[in-house]
């Protein structure tokens, strides 16, 4: 009987000590499992103690302030060690356990990525335009290596395929564009010429819709250009677009695409 009382007294002392120290009984379970999920390790209702800069960044990533708070907490844990510099949407998406929240992050990611691609393609339009102007006149800057690289790739082509189109021809031009782009060989380049009131950004949107990789444009296997009178050189009627022409580089002969 004395032994039983001693056990009860000892248990009471331990429990009292745990309460006073505010330690959860689970702390004594010996579990070493790391929780990497955002839904269990992040308090969704925690106050968003964000700086003005962080609030601005959240808006730029199309996220709510509570999302940015979650992102900060996630990156302060194991995920930040495993994937330093990981973008907010990916960090939130791969850490989320709530299917609805995960789907929301995936949708936002697609919108942001699509916008990024459009802007990169729009910049390539302007950069290629600048390159054409630069190569036709005295270089403004000393960039001979870049110019030689441009000329080398330009001169290695045996065929130029001219695809004439307007920037609002999206779904209706998909089949023809993919057929033409699939026929481009290592020694042929696809030059896309946009007629009408196309802008660099609207061209970027068109190219992104057609799933043109910016890397292919940067490598100049595909070029995005303002029409600027090129239709007359290829014998294209701008009232009957889209149109595709093929030029033999050696002979200069132009024929219809077949």
């Amino acid at each position: 009987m004395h032994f039983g009382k001693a056990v009860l007294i000892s248990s009471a002392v331990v429990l009292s000590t745990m309460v006073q120290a505010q330690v959860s009984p689970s702390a004594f379970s010996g579990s070493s499992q790391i929780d990497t999920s955002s839904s269990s390790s992040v308090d969704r209702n925690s106050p968003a103690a964000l700086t003005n800069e962080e609030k601005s960044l959240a808006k730029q990533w199309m996220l709510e302030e509570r999302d940015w708070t979650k992102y900060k907490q996630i990156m302060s844990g194991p995920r930040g060690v495993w994937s330093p510099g990981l973008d907010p949407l990916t960090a939130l998406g791969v850490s989320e356990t709530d299917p609805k929240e995960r789907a929301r992050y995936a949708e936002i990611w697609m919108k942001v990525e699509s916008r990024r691609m459009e802007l990169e393609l729009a910049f390539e339009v302007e950069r290629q335009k600048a390159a054409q102007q630069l190569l036709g006149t005295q270089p403004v800057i000393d960039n001979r290596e870049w110019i030689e690289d441009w000329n080398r790739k330009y001169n290695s082509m045996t065929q130029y395929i001219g695809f004439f189109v307007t920037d609002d021809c999206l779904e209706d031009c998909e089949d023809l564009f993919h057929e033409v782009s699939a026929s481009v060989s290592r020694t042929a380049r696809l030059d896309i010429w946009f007629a009408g009131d196309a802008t660099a950004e609207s061209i970027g949107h068109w190219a992104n819709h057609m799933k043109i990789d910016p890397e292919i444009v940067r490598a100049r296997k595909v070029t995005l250009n303002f029409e600027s009178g090129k239709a007359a050189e290829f014998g294209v009627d701008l009232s009957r677009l889209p149109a595709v022409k093929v030029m033999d580089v050696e002979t200069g002969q132009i024929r219809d695409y077949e």
Side-chain angles (χ1 to χ4, degrees), residues 176-197:
L176 177 60
F177 170 75
H178 291 304
E179 177 187 339
V180 171
S181 61
S183 69
V184 176
S185 66
R186 293 181 61 185
T187 57
R189 191 184 70 224
L190 175 58
D191 295 326
I192 307 176
W193 303 92
F194 291 86
D197 299 324

Side-chain angles (χ1 to χ4, degrees), residues 36 45 53 101 103 109 131 140 154 158 206 218 227 247:
T36 61
N45 298 316
E53 181 181 1
E101 284 290 276
W109 188 94
V140 177
Y154 190 89
T158 60
W206 187 95
R218 277 190 279 270
E227 185 271 324
M247 173 186 284

Side-chain angles (χ1 to χ4, degrees), residues 14 71 79-80 85 90 117 121 142 150 153 159 163 213 215 223 242 249:
V14 171
Y71 169 60
R79 176 56 64 182
T90 302
M117 296 278 280
L121 288 163
D142 185 8
W150 174 280
K153 291 180 178 179
Q159 281 188 337
F163 190 98
D213 190 335
E215 288 300 323
T223 70
V249 174

Side-chain angles (χ1 to χ4, degrees), residues 57-255:
L57 286 170
K59 290 181 180 179
Q60 292 177 44
W61 285 92
M62 300 176 65
L63 292 169
E64 299 175 11
E65 291 182 14
R66 66 182 179 88
D67 294 321
W68 202 265
T69 299
K70 287 169 59 178
Y71 169 60
K72 288 175 61 180
Q73 291 177 299
I74 289 169
M75 296 305 289
S76 68
R79 176 56 64 182
V81 177
W82 295 330
S83 311
L86 189 63
D87 70 271
L89 289 170
T90 302
L92 289 164
V94 300
S95 302
E96 186 57 68
T97 58
D98 183 331
K100 291 184 178 179
E101 284 290 276
R102 188 188 300 119
R104 180 171 70 90
Y105 292 136
E107 183 176 341
I108 296 173
W109 188 94
M110 288 303 302
K111 290 179 180 179
V112 171
E113 179 67 7
S114 179
R115 182 59 175 163
R116 179 187 71 82
M117 296 278 280
E118 286 184 15
L119 291 175
E120 287 191 15
L121 288 163
F123 179 65
E124 284 304 315
V125 173
E126 297 290 3
R127 193 161 72 166
Q128 289 178 358
K129 178 182 177 182
Q132 291 165 2
Q133 294 173 341
L134 180 64
L135 295 176
T137 60
Q138 182 67 28
V140 177
I141 57 175
D142 185 8
N143 198 359
R144 293 183 181 88
E145 183 179 350
W146 183 79
I147 293 174
E148 289 173 0
D149 178 62
W150 174 280
N151 280 327
R152 183 168 56 253
K153 291 180 178 179
Y154 190 89
N155 293 330
S156 67
M157 300 296 171
T158 60
Q159 281 188 337
Y160 299 150
I161 301 176
F163 190 98
F164 293 82
V165 68
T166 56
D167 60 357
D168 60 351
C169 187
L170 298 171
E171 287 79 6
D172 291 341
C173 288
E174 285 181 1
D175 290 343
L176 177 60
F177 170 75
H178 291 304
E179 177 187 339
V180 171
S181 61
S183 69
V184 176
S185 66
R186 293 181 61 185
T187 57
R189 191 184 70 224
L190 175 58
D191 295 326
I192 307 176
W193 303 92
F194 291 86
D197 299 324
T199 64
E201 193 155 338
S202 68
I203 292 174
H205 176 71
W206 187 95
N208 188 43
H209 179 86
M210 297 299 176
K211 297 180 174 58
I212 299 177
D213 190 335
E215 288 300 323
I216 295 176
V217 179
R218 277 190 279 270
R220 294 183 286 282
K221 288 295 291 181
V222 174
T223 70
L224 305 170
N225 316 273
F226 297 102
E227 185 271 324
S228 303
K230 202 70 175 179
E233 180 181 336
F234 277 78
V236 171
D237 183 353
L238 291 178
S239 66
R240 303 182 64 182
L241 298 181
V244 184
K245 296 284 186 175
V246 180
M247 173 186 284
D248 184 283
V249 174
E250 185 176 353
T251 65
Q253 182 179 1
I254 297 173
R255 61 178 175 83

